[in-house]
Amino acid sequence: MTGSKPDVIVGAGVAGLTLADRLAASGGRVVVLERENSPGGLARSFRIDDFIFDIGPHRFHTSDSVVEEFVLEVLAGSYEVIPRASSVYLRGRYHSWPLSLSGLAKLPLGMLIGSVPDLLFRRRGGGESSFADHIVSRYGRNLFSFFFEGYTAKFTGLPSENLHVDWAAAGVDRAVIDKRVKADSLNALLRGMLFPSPVSTTFIYPSRGGIADFSYRLVRRVEAAGGTVRTASEADGLLLEGARMAGVRLSTGEEIEAQRVFWSAPITRLSPGSGLSFINTVLVCVALRKPARGDYQWCYFGEQDISFSRTSIPARFSASTVPAGAGSIIAEITCSNQDEAWRDPDSLVPRVLEDLERVGALRHADVLFARALRVPESYPLYTLDYRERLDSIDLPAGVIPIGRCGTFWYNNMDHSISQALARAGGRDIPREFWNTRGKDVRELPQSAH
Ligand SMILES: Cc1cc2nc3c(=O)[nH]c(=O)nc-3n(C[C@H](O)[C@H](O)[C@H](O)COP(=O)(O)OP(=O)(O)OC[C@H]3O[C@@H](n4cnc5c(N)ncnc54)[C@H](O)[C@@H]3O)c2cc1C
């Protein structure tokens, strides 16, 4: 595998760095190119004064023992295991999330009257093509109109009917409604309501440095094994020799020859005509004199008159993210390149602070500073025709897409790590490991490598 030319990995997110780590450990020559000034990609962290902000809530949670072993090995004992506590804000009240049976019982009466029979007598899903059809068939029209419809339009900028059903497999079915709600008899449903058992999900979070600690550790491992990680180095495109990739051209004009290119940057950069697009996120990071109010790690806000779609409280992931006695909160606003929020993120800050106070998350008097940060390409947008568009991408031989933006899969970190481990072992990555519906095994746009 080793030759005079290195393997070039574009993107120092968890996928690119995991792959670099494994290739370098087995003696390969590796160069990682990262556009930003620091590693981690979507799992990077921002330090502002003594506060550490991740890109919204970020924690390790996986059912894949190989991935878990790798994560724990990299963190080398410097992590905490934390019980999950997430919330949803509905009509002026906080409810536990995933919606549990006892949580459903606390919904407004009109809502409850509709949604419980919906859940009991719902038809089994299958064969739906849009997100809207899937959610209605799985969770009922009441829950759909009460929460999913508005939240999804606010989050994606598209009506649910225009989103592919994969948006549900990726973003909703993975973790939204407590599995116990799937109780199939009235008896089971009542038992669950009267004697709810606690949700016992736990997750892993680095003890220091925010979620980016994982990536910094990987950078050190790659460098110790002889690899190179270059930040502030944006790949602009590929060098070609006929139909084959010969290397990478940087935006500075520098050219690097490569044996193989693993591409974890947005696939749209290699195929601007594909018609695929991503959703961006603006983070409003707020530092507080006092701990943030709220007993959750993150909370969803579906209502249209609230400017953000989710908040998270860094100290509930690790106390090391804030100075002693202080607090912080992060609000996420998703948007497209054309939106005012993206073009002028600072203009959002006063409205976000006002809304945070209105939902009881902070008191204005406690705010030390509030900073808006732009995170491009944070979610692949699954329009109805996205699969055809993805399949139409024809990459030159020698280019292998990986990671969330490279494969256009709505990965969590564990999926990106799993993809990278597979590629390092010379294996392809079937879509089934990611698709919770588990029916549809698809291959990536492949190239010879
Ligand atoms: C708000 C939010 C919350 C999340 N919460 C969780 C969570 O709790 N748990 C979880 O497991 N996952 C979570 N995720 C998903 C997780 O962040 C991603 O799955 C993971 O970080 C993706 O890693 P990656 O390496 O595949 O891609 P990325 O992180 O996107 O890495 C791609 C890298 O390529 C770089 N790049 C882009 N263009 C270029 C270029 N032209 N040249 C060079 N470099 C370039 C980027 O800067 C980036 O560093 C969350 C995501 C978001 C947006």
Side-chain angles (χ1 to χ4, degrees):
M1 190 190 71
T2 48
S4 55
K5 298 178 195 169
D7 281 332
V8 171
I9 298 172
V10 177
V14 295
L17 290 172
T18 298
L19 180 61
D21 178 73
R22 294 297 77 209
L23 292 178
S26 56
R29 283 193 61 206
V30 187
V31 176
V32 183
L33 301 174
E34 168 56 46
R35 176 186 62 190
E36 304 294 328
N37 294 327
S38 59
L42 293 171
R44 67 186 180 279
S45 307
F46 303 93
R47 183 180 280 275
I48 309 176
D49 296 341
D50 288 331
F51 294 82
I52 294 172
F53 298 96
D54 295 339
I55 296 179
H58 257 93
R59 87 279 187 211
F60 287 106
H61 178 61
T62 183
S63 52
D64 181 333
S65 57
V66 176
V67 171
E68 184 171 280
E69 211 173 287
F70 180 74
V71 170
L72 295 184
E73 181 198 311
V74 173
L75 291 175
S78 181
Y79 62 87
E80 292 158 33
V81 178
I82 300 170
R84 171 184 167 148
S86 46
S87 257
V88 60
Y89 183 84
L90 293 168
R91 312 234 169 125
R93 284 188 63 178
Y94 288 90
H95 300 265
S96 64
W97 188 263
L99 288 174
S100 62
L101 289 168
S102 51
L104 277 175
K106 288 183 198 142
L107 292 176
L109 190 60
M111 170 65 209
L112 186 64
I113 287 168
S115 55
V116 171
D118 271 1
L119 285 167
L120 270 179
F121 304 116
R122 68 196 187 281
R123 82 184 147 84
R124 291 290 169 271
E128 308 92 10
S129 58
S130 82
F131 173 83
D133 289 348
H134 177 82
I135 296 294
V136 170
S137 87
R138 202 173 169 95
Y139 303 114
R141 182 152 290 283
N142 278 281
L143 273 177
F144 173 71
S145 350
F146 189 63
F147 179 70
F148 292 108
E149 191 175 22
Y151 181 80
T152 306
K154 178 173 170 179
F155 191 92
T156 64
L158 289 179
S160 304
E161 291 74 19
N162 294 3
L163 285 172
H164 195 278
V165 64
D166 285 353
W167 186 258
V172 178
D173 289 352
R174 266 191 209 153
V176 169
I177 293 199
D178 185 341
K179 286 190 175 50
R180 285 168 293 138
V181 174
K182 291 172 189 153
D184 275 335
S185 69
L186 186 56
N187 190 8
L189 192 68
L190 285 174
R191 220 177 34 239
M193 276 186 178
L194 293 172
F195 308 107
S197 50
V199 178
S200 61
T201 324
T202 54
F203 60 79
I204 294 164
Y205 191 82
S207 302
R208 310 239 145 251
I211 198 71
D213 183 52
F214 178 74
S215 296
Y216 277 106
R217 285 171 181 273
L218 280 173
V219 170
R220 291 198 289 275
R221 281 166 54 127
V222 171
E223 290 175 344
T228 305
V229 181
R230 290 176 53 177
T231 51
S233 300
E234 181 179 30
D236 192 34
L238 299 170
L239 305 174
L240 295 175
E241 263 171 24
R244 195 182 160 79
M245 174 285 307
V248 175
R249 190 184 53 253
L250 276 70
S251 51
T252 53
E254 184 188 352
E255 297 184 348
I256 303 178
E257 292 190 342
Q259 186 184 356
R260 299 178 292 184
V261 169
F262 293 94
W263 189 273
S264 75
I267 191 74
T268 43
R269 185 91 185 222
L270 292 181
S271 182
S274 65
L276 295 171
S277 60
F278 289 86
I279 300 170
N280 304 321
T281 300
V282 171
L283 301 175
V284 175
C285 302
V286 187
L288 300 166
R289 251 176 266 285
K290 293 185 179 161
R293 297 162 154 203
D295 55 5
Y296 50 83
Q297 285 128 7
W298 66 93
C299 180
Y300 299 95
F301 294 83
E303 282 150 38
Q304 302 299 318
D305 65 337
I306 297 175
S307 47
F308 39 83
S309 52
R310 184 167 55 181
T311 59
S312 48
I313 301 180
R316 298 215 168 269
F317 292 77
S318 169
S320 65
T321 55
V322 289
S328 63
I329 189 160
I330 303 169
E332 294 163 60
I333 297 98
T334 43
C335 49
S336 73
N337 289 341
Q338 289 74 42
D339 288 342
E340 177 67 12
W342 187 247
R343 286 186 280 117
D344 182 13
D346 291 338
S347 66
L348 286 174
V349 174
R351 165 85 199 277
V352 167
L353 289 177
E354 203 178 285
D355 289 348
L356 284 170
E357 185 153 35
R358 187 155 56 93
V359 300
L362 55 72
R363 284 186 336 140
H364 222 291
D366 295 334
V367 175
L368 290 170
F369 64 78
R371 191 80 54 84
L373 302 172
R374 300 203 307 176
V375 182
E377 292 127 359
S378 47
Y379 298 87
L381 183 57
Y382 283 179
T383 51
L384 288 174
D385 59 356
Y386 94 95
R387 284 184 167 212
E388 290 75 37
R389 292 182 183 277
L390 189 55
D391 289 344
S392 72
I393 295 177
D394 193 15
L395 295 174
V399 181
I400 301 127
I402 58 164
R404 172 149 155 151
C405 295
T407 57
F408 207 75
W409 295 358
Y410 194 155
N411 282 359
N412 273 336
M413 292 183 288
D414 55 323
H415 304 118
S416 281
I417 292 167
S418 171
Q419 283 185 331
L421 294 176
R423 284 301 189 199
R427 297 190 304 281
D428 283 343
I429 30 183
R431 196 175 182 121
E432 68 194 326
F433 86 98
W434 168 88
N435 189 334
T436 54
R437 290 176 307 141
K439 292 178 201 138
D440 193 6
V441 182
R442 304 169 74 234
E443 291 296 315
L444 288 166
Q446 294 290 337
S447 61
H449 51 91

